[in-house]
Amino acid sequence: MSAATTRSRTPDRLCAEAVDLARAAAEEAAAPGVVGEHTGVVSEGDRVVTHFFECKEMGYRGWRWAVTVARASRAKIVTLDEAVLLPGPDALLAPEWVPWSERLRPGDMGPGDLLPTDAEDLRLEPGFSGEDEPAPDSAVSADMAELVEAEDAEVTAAPPRNLPAAPSRGSIAALAEELGMRRARVLSRYGLHVAADRWEEAFGAKTPMAQAAPAPCVSCGFLVPIGGSLGQAFGLCANEFSPADGHVVSLAYGCGGHSEAAVMPKPPQPAPPVVDETRVDPFPLRPSRDSGSVPVSDDETAELGHS
């Protein structure tokens, strides 16, 4: 180790003793009453020393005021270099800054919010606009140009060239519009995979609800099919009592609201009553002659129960 290195690590005596100068500089830079006790001194180089003072300001726990002083070679006067507020080893720091595009999460957008899409977004690719290539029966198409050259004719700017090249119903652009492809950009293969992974994670076969379901959604009557390539693996749930109502679900997802989960049993028929209270049973005042309870008598006026 060289002598210069040893000297740079040892604080200069005059600079280390300039505590009052450093405190005055810290109090001038800070608000009144926020500069605390002197906590230490560190050598920054030859005749350059930094003094640390405790920071008592609210919200800056563990921070400290750092005041650097220095003196010229062979000089007796110590001068001020700078005074700043720096975080200490145990300081409370703000989290690392993250761009808004990486902080955004599903559900963060509210009414009136706009989410710009990057021009190089990997989830999108150019769609079919129909403007790059003329229709097959157009007067300026490649087939018509060859026909014009064979017939030794010219294509002028007069009608019918200025008229629509082809009927809108039979054009390629109309077919692309019917298929939902005539847009500036459409989902790329990467965008399809990202959406499929996200939907599979939320309402897929590996969720606890699907694991306990009696049957998958592919056999459920509440499943609404969707078009496109995603329709081969996903659909829309239309069961208001299902936790996935209104959400895109995997065909392998399932829940207890499956349309064929259980057949509702018929209501049981009540047993016939022991005592029928809906019917009146007649009771005669006199017993029948052949009942045997009273001997036969010629006296019709005899009282019941007497011979």
Side-chain angles (χ1 to χ4, degrees):
M1 183 179 296
S2 63
T5 304
T6 305
R7 289 196 305 270
S8 63
R9 290 186 177 181
T10 303
D12 182 75
R13 181 181 62 84
L14 295 179
C15 291
E17 293 175 354
V19 178
D20 295 338
L21 174 64
R23 176 179 291 277
E27 292 178 348
E28 182 180 356
V34 299
V35 179
E37 300 295 332
H38 185 265
T39 58
V41 60
V42 174
S43 175
E44 305 289 354
D46 291 340
R47 297 177 300 279
V48 180
V49 170
T50 299
H51 294 269
F52 294 102
F53 299 90
E54 180 185 0
C55 180
K56 295 183 178 181
E57 190 169 359
M58 299 296 293
Y60 286 85
R61 187 185 65 190
W63 289 62
R64 53 189 182 178
W65 288 99
V67 181
T68 303
V69 295
R71 70 178 181 89
S73 177
R74 299 180 181 180
K76 301 295 183 179
I77 301 176
V78 178
T79 58
L80 177 65
D81 192 355
E82 62 177 355
V84 294
L85 181 63
L86 297 177
D90 301 328
L92 180 63
L93 301 176
E96 185 179 357
W97 182 82
V98 180
W100 69 267
S101 58
E102 300 179 13
R103 297 195 307 267
L104 191 65
R105 293 294 179 267
D108 290 347
M109 292 187 62
D113 294 341
L114 297 179
L115 178 60
T117 304
D118 190 4
E120 304 297 332
D121 197 325
L122 298 177
R123 300 172 299 172
L124 301 172
E125 61 185 8
F128 177 80
S129 62
E131 299 177 356
D132 299 335
E133 183 179 355
D137 53 352
S138 173
V140 295
S141 64
D143 297 338
M144 293 299 295
E146 295 178 0
L147 181 61
V148 167
E149 183 178 357
E151 296 293 336
D152 194 18
E154 295 182 359
V155 178
T156 63
R161 185 183 180 184
N162 292 338
L163 297 178
S168 59
R169 182 175 177 81
S171 63
I172 299 179
L175 179 61
E177 185 173 359
E178 183 177 353
L179 296 177
M181 298 174 56
R182 197 177 183 187
R183 290 167 287 173
R185 288 188 291 179
V186 296
L187 274 176
S188 63
R189 183 174 296 273
Y190 173 75
L192 290 173
H193 283 293
V194 170
D197 292 342
R198 187 172 60 252
W199 296 343
E200 183 71 27
E201 182 178 356
F203 297 100
K206 297 182 179 179
T207 58
M209 181 66 71
Q211 295 291 331
C217 291
V218 67
S219 59
C220 181
F222 294 107
L223 182 73
V224 179
I226 60 176
S229 58
L230 290 175
Q232 301 176 10
F234 297 95
L236 186 67
C237 179
N239 187 354
E240 61 177 327
F241 300 108
S242 171
D245 179 38
H247 294 276
V248 178
V249 298
S250 171
L251 298 183
Y253 180 73
C255 68
H258 195 281
S259 62
E260 313 303 326
V263 178
M264 296 299 294
K266 295 182 179 180
Q269 296 294 334
V274 178
V275 178
D276 190 356
E277 298 179 351
T278 62
R279 186 180 61 182
V280 177
D281 296 331
F283 291 93
L285 295 177
R286 298 179 181 274
S288 177
R289 289 180 174 272
D290 56 353
S291 63
S293 61
V294 179
V296 179
S297 175
D298 294 337
D299 188 3
E300 296 292 339
T301 61
E303 294 295 334
L304 294 177
H306 297 278
S307 56

